[in-house]
């Protein structure tokens, strides 16, 4: 299962609703999902996750609108909210080092002679062997006795998922 995470950037003055103000029905619908402020300096930037994607098909964000009567920086009107979500796995290194987010390819032409956990042994045409280590995250797609060509995939591609973002507008209205 792939993990998911999210970020929400609210207009200044809007904030995460405290848990003690949430109705039981909303807490149940949230399934224990926890949002937190990105920092004390910017409590209007909220993050959640990583959490299991199978359990959280939607991520509910309980927020409190500011009261313009109590905060002179806040006015009634249209406000923009920014949301981002990611789904995926693994670590990508800026230096390009292999990680559990990489697909692995045969380093030589030959026959798969042995598979021991994450070590794949390829016997080359000249009879020498090459031991290749793959990292956890991907599944092997080769079996002992199978012929492989250099640069042919020997694992699945674990780099699935992606990132999405959206902007939504909300109108803060005076109900009086």
């Amino acid at each position: 299962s792939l993990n998911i995470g999210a970020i929400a950037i609210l207009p200044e003055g809007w904030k995460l609703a405290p848990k003690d103000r949430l109705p039981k029905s909303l807490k149940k619908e949230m399934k224990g999902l926890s949002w937190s402020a990105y920092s004390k300096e910017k409590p209007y930037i909220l993050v959640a996750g990583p959490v299991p994607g199978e359990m959280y098909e939607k991520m509910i964000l309980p927020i409190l609108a500011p009261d313009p009567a109590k905060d002179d920086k806040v006015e009634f009107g249209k406000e923009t909210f920014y949301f981002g979500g990611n789904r995926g796995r693994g670590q990508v290194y800026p230096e390009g080092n292999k990680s559990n987010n990489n697909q692995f390819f045969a380093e030589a032409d030959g026959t798969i002679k042995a598979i021991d956990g994450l070590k794949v042994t390829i016997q080359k045409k000249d009879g020498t062997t090459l031991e290749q280590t793959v990292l956890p995250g991907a599944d092997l797609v080769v079996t002992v006795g199978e012929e492989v060509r250099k640069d042919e995939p020997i694992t699945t591609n674990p780099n699935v998922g992606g990132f999405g973002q959206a902007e939504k507008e909300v109108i803060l209205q005076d109900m009086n």
Side-chain angles (χ1 to χ4, degrees):
S1 162
L2 298 178
N3 286 337
I4 60 172
I7 183 169
I9 302 173
L10 312 178
E12 286 195 52
W14 295 71
K15 60 184 177 182
L16 182 64
K19 288 181 183 179
D20 63 348
R21 298 220 13 217
L22 302 179
K24 285 183 183 181
S25 60
L26 184 60
K27 287 180 186 178
K28 183 179 179 180
E29 192 176 356
M30 290 178 66
K31 302 178 192 171
L33 180 66
S34 178
W35 288 85
S36 60
Y38 176 73
S39 71
K40 288 182 181 181
E41 295 78 30
K42 297 183 180 181
Y44 55 91
I45 299 177
L46 306 172
V47 294
V51 294
E54 287 178 358
M55 186 172 175
Y56 296 97
E57 290 184 19
K58 64 180 178 178
M59 299 174 87
I60 297 168
L61 173 60
I63 58 173
L64 293 178
D67 183 352
K70 295 179 182 176
D71 185 348
D72 59 357
K73 294 180 192 172
V74 177
E75 297 179 5
F76 293 110
K78 191 184 310 185
E79 298 281 5
T80 303
F81 292 71
Y82 302 92
F83 300 96
N86 67 313
R87 177 178 183 264
R89 65 185 301 135
Q91 174 69 44
V92 177
Y93 298 105
E95 301 84 21
N97 300 359
K98 293 286 189 182
S99 74
N100 67 343
N101 208 34
N102 289 102
Q103 184 172 25
F104 288 82
F105 301 89
E107 294 177 0
D109 291 339
T111 304
I112 303 295
K113 278 310 207 188
I115 298 174
D116 181 17
L118 299 175
K119 293 184 191 305
V120 177
T121 304
I122 301 172
Q123 183 174 17
K124 298 190 232 176
K125 302 285 185 212
D126 65 6
T128 61
T129 59
L130 169 87
E131 190 175 89
Q132 186 173 342
T133 302
V134 299
L135 295 174
D139 296 321
L140 288 169
V141 295
V142 293
T143 57
V144 174
E146 187 174 335
E147 295 284 323
V148 292
R149 299 197 54 82
K150 184 175 183 346
D151 297 326
E152 184 176 284
I154 61 171
T155 68
T156 56
N157 185 353
N159 189 13
V160 294
F163 183 83
Q165 59 191 37
E167 292 180 21
K168 297 293 179 185
E169 292 181 340
V170 172
I171 298 176
L172 182 59
Q173 296 179 326
D174 184 352
M175 299 308 287
N176 297 322

